[in-house]
């Protein structure tokens, strides 16, 4: 999190919209997945949008999986809108999408980037064996940064900080995120972390953990907490040496796409 900067005097109330920021839904094709109808729920991260997950979802959809990438409340609208939403809004949307997938598929695997990783870990802790597998990319459940201790006060004094988006090594790639980081909303995210960390031992589903070697958004506090506390005996860590935080759009995206496809086939076979 960056230091506060002066708020623009004429800050726009909306952000540029694009078709890639819309939710993604792809129907399952069981004839391509051994006759079973397999669903995949993918969640984008904080201040991002479905744009960061669309190529991953489209790759899995082409293999026959039923894919849903919801747009979390307050995202792909404006950072001011996001500042009116909280962790409970985002978990409710993920639960809604998951229940809809479960109603129409034989098994469901969940995946998420950054805050999306925290959301699907929360889901796996709460839903137990309803979740066939968990895929996380640079998930955020903790931070070593000391300035976050000021958020309870700063969020009432400064509406936003500079953006945390577009941490991508590959040139010319746009995450389609917000130009500002809303403080009330991000504080709500961080307030959810202690309860999630306490409940990590409830996660027993198979898990694949994709981790960028150089991440300027999520530091190294989250990985040991997750990998050492979950109860899963089927855990795979995959390093992403040529990517920054938004690895689903970065140089190692093919590693995520291919690795997750193999993981889904194995845990739902």
């Amino acid at each position: 999190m960056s230091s506060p900067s002066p708020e623009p005097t004429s800050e726009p109330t909306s952000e540029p919209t694009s078709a890639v920021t819309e939710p993604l839904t792809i129907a399952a094709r069981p004839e391509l997945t051994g006759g079973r109808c397999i669903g995949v729920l993918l969640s984008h991260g904080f201040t991002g949008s479905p744009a960061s997950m669309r190529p991953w979802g489209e790759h899995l959809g082409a293999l026959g999986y039923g894919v849903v990438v919801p747009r979390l409340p307050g995202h792909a609208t404006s950072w001011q809108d996001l500042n009116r939403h909280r962790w409970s809004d985002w978990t409710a949307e993920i639960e809604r999408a998951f229940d809809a997938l479960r109603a129409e598929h034989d098994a469901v695997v969940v995946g998420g980037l950054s805050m999306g990783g925290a959301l699907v870990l929360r889901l796996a802790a709460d839903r137990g064996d309803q979740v066939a597998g968990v895929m996380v990319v640079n998930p955020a459940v903790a931070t070593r940064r000391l300035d976050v201790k000021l958020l309870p006060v700063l969020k009432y004094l400064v509406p936003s900080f500079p953006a945390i988006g577009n941490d991508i090594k590959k040139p010319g790639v746009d995450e389609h995120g917000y130009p500002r980081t809303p403080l009330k909303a991000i504080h709500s995210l961080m307030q959810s972390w202690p309860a999630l960390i306490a409940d990590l031992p409830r996660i027993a589903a198979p898990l694949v953990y994709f981790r960028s070697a150089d991440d300027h958004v999520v530091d190294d506090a989250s990985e040991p907490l997750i990998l050492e506390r979950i109860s899963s005996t089927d855990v795979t860590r995959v390093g992403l040496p040529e990517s920054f935080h938004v690895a689903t759009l970065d140089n190692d995206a093919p590693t995520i796409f291919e690795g997750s496809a193999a993981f889904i086939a194995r845990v739902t076979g």
Side-chain angles (χ1 to χ4, degrees):
M1 184 173 300
S2 305
S3 298
S5 63
E7 291 299 307
T9 57
S10 59
E11 184 76 36
T13 57
S14 63
E15 315 298 343
T17 58
S18 168
V20 299
T21 67
E22 293 297 314
L24 175 67
T25 301
I26 301 174
R29 290 187 286 166
E31 68 274 14
L32 300 181
T33 55
R36 297 194 75 206
C37 192
I38 307 300
V40 180
L41 170 62
L42 299 177
S43 176
H44 65 80
F46 185 76
T47 73
S49 76
S52 63
M53 311 302 281
R54 185 171 290 270
W56 187 8
E58 290 174 342
H59 179 87
L60 296 176
L63 298 176
Y65 298 112
V67 178
V68 170
V69 182
R71 185 175 61 198
L72 300 175
H75 291 79
T77 53
S78 69
W79 70 260
Q80 293 93 337
D81 180 33
L82 179 54
N83 224 11
R84 292 187 285 267
H85 290 277
R86 300 293 181 264
W87 174 256
S88 59
D89 299 318
W90 310 320
T91 56
E93 178 61 21
I94 292 300
E95 290 170 357
R96 182 204 62 76
F98 178 73
D99 287 337
L101 276 171
R102 282 196 69 237
E104 298 181 353
H105 297 78
D106 299 317
V108 178
V109 175
V110 299
L113 165 68
S114 194
M115 180 180 79
L119 286 167
V120 298
L121 288 169
R122 179 74 267 170
L123 187 72
D126 293 339
R127 297 301 187 92
D129 59 10
Q130 295 179 10
V131 176
V134 182
M135 310 177 295
V136 290
V137 181
N138 298 324
V141 302
T143 183
R144 298 191 191 282
R145 298 189 67 122
L146 298 178
D147 53 0
V148 301
K149 296 181 184 295
L150 301 176
L151 276 176
V153 174
L154 278 177
K155 69 180 182 180
Y156 294 111
L157 303 175
V158 183
S160 66
F161 278 176
I164 58 173
N166 272 346
D167 187 36
I168 302 171
K169 186 175 184 178
K170 186 176 182 179
V173 180
D174 186 1
E175 184 188 3
H176 294 274
Y178 286 155
R180 306 290 299 179
T181 302
L183 297 197
K184 290 180 181 178
I186 200 170
H187 187 225
S188 175
L189 164 62
M190 293 179 176
Q191 285 178 309
S192 75
W193 287 347
L196 174 56
I197 292 169
D199 287 340
L200 286 173
R202 294 165 53 184
I203 298 176
L207 182 139
V208 58
Y209 193 112
F210 297 97
R211 180 62 176 150
S212 295
D214 196 1
D215 187 331
H216 306 101
V217 177
V218 173
D219 60 38
D220 61 357
S222 293
E223 182 176 342
L225 284 172
I226 295 169
L227 296 185
E228 293 172 11
R229 291 177 183 245
I230 61 173
S231 299
S232 310
T233 57
D234 182 345
V235 178
T236 304
R237 185 192 185 279
V238 179
L240 306 174
E242 296 299 324
S243 297
F244 294 162
H245 181 64
V246 191
T248 52
L249 297 178
D250 216 328
N251 294 309
D252 295 303
T255 298
I256 297 172
F257 301 169
E258 295 162 14
S260 63
F263 175 79
I264 296 166
R266 179 170 64 80
V267 302
T268 64

